[in-house]
Every structure is written in C-alpha cells, then in structure tokens.
Amino acid sequence: MVSIGARKKNSSLGFCTKRVVVIVSALALLALGLQASSLIRSLEHDLLQHSFEKPMNATLSGAAVLTETNQIGTNDRIVGTGSDAMSEDQKENWKQKMDAWVYEPKNVNYFWKKMGDRPFQREFYSRLGKGNFNRLLDVGARSYNKLCKDLINSTSVEYFQMEPNLPPDPSDLKNDGLLECYMNEVREKYPDQGSSFDLVIDFGVFGWKLVQNEFDDTKVKGYVNSVTWLLRDKGCWVLKTDQGWVPNEVEFFDKHILPYFTMKDFDNHAYESGHSIKGGNFNFFFFYKK
C-alpha cells in the first residue's frame, strides 16, 4: 500500500499552487483538443486527499486520544483519560489544529454525487432504512452530513451522531440525538448509551493514517473498547480505512479488532468486507461484535 503520510507535509500554499498549476495545465490540454481526463482525475484525487477526506474532526478520539481526520503535529498528545488526559489549554490547542482541517463544501449536492467515496456512501446510507438496524451512531458530524438522515429515509430508524466540535451553525445538523464528546469520553459522559446501538458508522476517523500515527496500543484498545461498549450484541461497526492507514492491515486487525469482532459481509452480502473504492484509496470493513 502506498503511504499517505506525505499529505501531512504539504503546506497550504504548496497545495494551492499545485491546484492552480494542475487546473491551468488541464485547460491548456483541453484547448489543444487533447485528453485531459487523467490530469483532472489527478486533481480530484489531490483535492480529496487534502480536503474532502479530512472532514470530521469529530471523534478522532481513540481510547485515550482524539483525532482523526486531520493533520497533526508528530509530538502532540490527544485527549486522553487518567494520566494521559490533556489539560484544557492543550485541548484548545488541539481543537484549533483540527479546525484548520475541517471542510464544509459549498456545493453539497456535487460533493455527495461526485467526490471520492461519497457516491458509495450515498448508496450505503440509503440501504440503512431498509435493513435490520433500528438505532445508528455516526461518528463525526459536519453540516454536509445533514443529508445522511434524509438518505436513510425511515421513521423507524433512530439516527445519532457523535461530534465534540460542532459546525459553525449547529442547526445544520440533522439527527435524532447528538453525543457531544470524543469516542474515549463516551462512557463517562453518556453512561446510559452502552449496548444501545445496532450500527456504528466510522468513516474518516479511526481508519485514517494520521490518527493512527498518534495512537499507541493503549489508545487503539481504548477506542475499540468504546465502540464495543456502544454496540448491542452482534452489532456492526462499519469502518472505512484510507490507503496506507497502518503498515500491516492484517496484523492490525488480528491484534486489535478481531479478538472482539468477527469480520463478515454486510446486509446479506450486499457488500463484502474490504469493499474497495477509487482503486483502493478507500476500503470498507464490517465488523460484528462477538
């Protein structure tokens, strides 16, 4: 797998310059009547890597850490518990870093129809109102996620979201309940939510490389334990991973997830675990609580 760690090193200026160069180059090729589709695909991929797939600074938290989806300083600690917990000043500093990577698309319809793995996610959410899931928890909530409940389109399904850092206008959120916390805080802040969800949707948080760079084994275990605690018996954790998120995915699953979960297909074989999007850039796994 190709590492995505290089995303962390690109400065905002460097990325903007690259975007301008690519756009101008594409237009030049089009003017010459040449095929620019591969160049445009490259641009779209870059945009996804730097913006669209860094969306929810929501639950980045893990067992004792918070983060996901956002470029992080290599020595920064994340929200933890006990002796690992950060001070309020450290939390605020971390939040400011996370805010710098929050993305709110101006054209939400285009975002959901065309960008990255969003077309697949659109299809996935649309299935949930027709399945056997009555209570769902979505990790991370930005304004563009307000479409998710509409896609589920069911009066019998309760759709909850987890997000510690709300979007500028919280009224943009559309859900049946909000857990305003990091994943590692959920037991303490919402003790009544244990074993209450049929499905935990984790897109762009735990499965992102820069989050895992900040996690040690203790933090990984804490995150996984929190997800396990939230799920009912046989409940499902849907995990999206980015290409290169951990050095060895098989070993990681064997060590940290499969002792507590069974990997299986989703919704009567609608999707296999490891379902791949965009040439392997994004993969989806379905873990069922033992």
Side-chain angles (χ1 to χ4, degrees):
M1 284 184 144
V2 178
S3 172
I4 62 171
R7 288 186 295 185
K8 186 175 182 180
K9 301 178 181 177
N10 290 333
S11 66
S12 299
L13 179 59
F15 174 63
C16 290
T17 301
K18 183 178 180 181
R19 178 169 52 182
V20 171
V21 170
V22 174
I23 291 173
V24 171
S25 300
L27 291 174
L29 287 174
L30 287 171
L32 293 171
L34 300 176
Q35 178 57 270
S37 61
S38 61
L39 187 59
I40 293 172
R41 283 196 298 271
S42 175
L43 170 62
E44 181 186 63
H45 180 267
D46 250 11
L47 287 170
L48 281 170
Q49 298 299 335
H50 288 271
S51 296
F52 299 112
E53 294 310 319
K54 301 287 126 317
M56 306 154 239
N57 81 62
T59 18
L60 304 193
S61 78
V65 287
L66 159 111
T67 149
E68 160 32 45
T69 291
N70 337 40
Q71 316 299 55
I72 305 164
T74 54
N75 295 319
D76 291 329
R77 294 192 68 77
I78 304 173
V79 175
T81 56
S83 60
D84 283 337
M86 293 201 309
S87 69
E88 291 304 314
D89 287 344
Q90 288 173 317
K91 287 182 182 179
E92 179 58 29
N93 180 56
W94 182 254
K95 181 180 182 299
Q96 290 175 6
K97 290 186 177 185
M98 296 300 97
D99 288 346
W101 286 93
V102 171
Y103 179 77
E104 297 286 358
K106 293 181 179 180
N107 189 331
V108 175
N109 288 331
Y110 180 84
F111 177 75
W112 276 97
K113 288 180 180 179
K114 299 292 184 181
M115 300 311 301
D117 62 334
R118 296 293 161 176
F120 169 76
Q121 290 191 30
R122 187 184 182 100
E123 174 187 300
F124 176 81
Y125 281 103
S126 297
R127 299 186 68 91
L128 299 182
K130 307 169 186 176
N132 300 316
F133 306 105
N134 299 316
R135 204 163 189 263
L136 318 178
L137 176 63
D138 208 343
V139 179
R142 308 315 308 162
S143 297
Y144 55 79
N145 291 122
K146 62 187 175 185
L147 182 64
C148 297
K149 183 171 170 58
D150 291 335
L151 290 172
I152 294 170
N153 191 29
S154 173
T155 57
S156 62
V157 174
E158 289 185 280
Y159 174 71
F160 282 69
Q161 292 175 303
M162 176 183 284
E163 175 57 65
N165 303 307
L166 300 182
D169 185 357
S171 66
D172 282 345
L173 298 181
K174 193 171 185 180
N175 54 51
D176 298 307
L178 176 67
L179 306 186
E180 195 172 343
C181 68
Y182 299 116
M183 181 64 80
N184 63 298
E185 300 175 316
V186 69
R187 291 197 198 200
E188 177 184 352
K189 291 194 172 183
Y190 299 94
D192 59 332
Q193 297 299 318
S195 301
S196 66
F197 293 99
D198 303 302
L199 186 72
V200 171
I201 304 166
D202 194 339
F203 294 164
V205 180
F206 188 71
W208 190 52
K209 179 178 174 62
L210 294 181
V211 172
Q212 292 301 324
N213 286 348
E214 295 297 319
F215 276 29
D216 57 19
D217 283 359
T218 299
K219 293 167 184 175
V220 168
K221 183 177 180 180
Y223 192 105
V224 174
N225 285 347
S226 292
V227 174
T228 306
W229 177 79
L230 287 164
L231 286 169
R232 293 169 175 163
D233 289 343
K234 309 300 182 182
C236 181
W237 177 19
V238 185
L239 176 63
K240 169 194 164 183
T241 65
D242 288 352
Q243 188 179 68
W245 69 297
V246 291
N248 189 314
E249 191 170 75
V250 173
E251 288 183 2
F252 185 92
F253 286 161
D254 285 344
K255 180 177 181 180
H256 297 294
I257 298 180
L258 294 180
Y260 314 101
F261 291 87
T262 300
M263 184 191 298
K264 296 193 294 186
D265 294 343
F266 183 77
D267 196 15
N268 294 320
H269 310 292
Y271 307 115
E272 295 182 350
S273 264
H275 186 81
S276 181
I277 301 294
K278 294 287 182 179
N281 285 327
F282 314 113
N283 298 286
F284 296 81
F285 296 89
F286 309 100
F287 296 103
Y288 292 82
K289 181 177 175 179
K290 290 184 178 179

